[in-house]
Amino acid sequence: MSDAAWRAGLEERFVRWLEQDVTHLLPGGPHADVQARVAGRLRAAWGPDWAGVTENYGGTAGHHAAFLRSKLAFAQAVHAGADAAEVARLERACLDAAGAFWREWAGYHLTARAGA
């Protein structure tokens, strides 16, 4: 498999994390409408940045958890009908966390591929 094809496949797999539903953790959840808005905004704004991806032998638990917490906060704000500035702030925080998780996650897969 070419490097470009491998990277494209990894990017596609990561999008699943952006689409993962966290609204079942909200009161009365899950909320399909909130999930669709949150996932749609994240998919539209996120782009893979390979520049910061380096080998990672340690896994992804820390940044994965931080990403899920920030995604839940973003979903809570959308669900609660928070003002646009607050929703935008939480979306940006979620995208920052997604970026950190991406670099760690892609680095882990890069390391595993190099060792294969």
Side-chain angles (χ1 to χ4, degrees):
M1 175 183 298
S2 74
D3 189 47
W6 179 81
R7 285 180 178 223
L10 201 61
E11 292 165 7
E12 186 178 307
R13 284 178 44 207
F14 188 80
V15 169
R16 294 177 196 161
W17 292 113
L18 301 177
E19 295 174 342
Q20 181 182 17
D21 191 357
V22 296
T23 66
H24 60 279
L25 299 171
L26 299 175
H31 301 275
D33 59 326
V34 172
Q35 169 57 22
R37 290 192 324 230
V38 167
R41 287 176 69 151
L42 293 177
R43 276 192 317 271
W46 181 82
D49 179 9
W50 284 95
V53 175
T54 59
E55 289 187 349
N56 170 14
Y57 294 92
T60 63
H63 285 107
H64 182 205
F67 166 66
L68 290 175
R69 282 191 303 272
S70 68
K71 187 174 180 184
L72 180 59
F74 178 32
Q76 285 172 324
V78 170
H79 177 61
D83 64 66
E86 180 67 3
V87 170
R89 183 186 72 75
L90 290 167
E91 178 182 12
R92 180 77 251 149
C94 186
L95 287 166
D96 289 347
F101 176 39
W102 159 256
R103 288 185 297 278
E104 188 175 62
W105 186 84
Y108 178 75
H109 288 284
L110 177 69
T111 305
R113 183 176 192 224

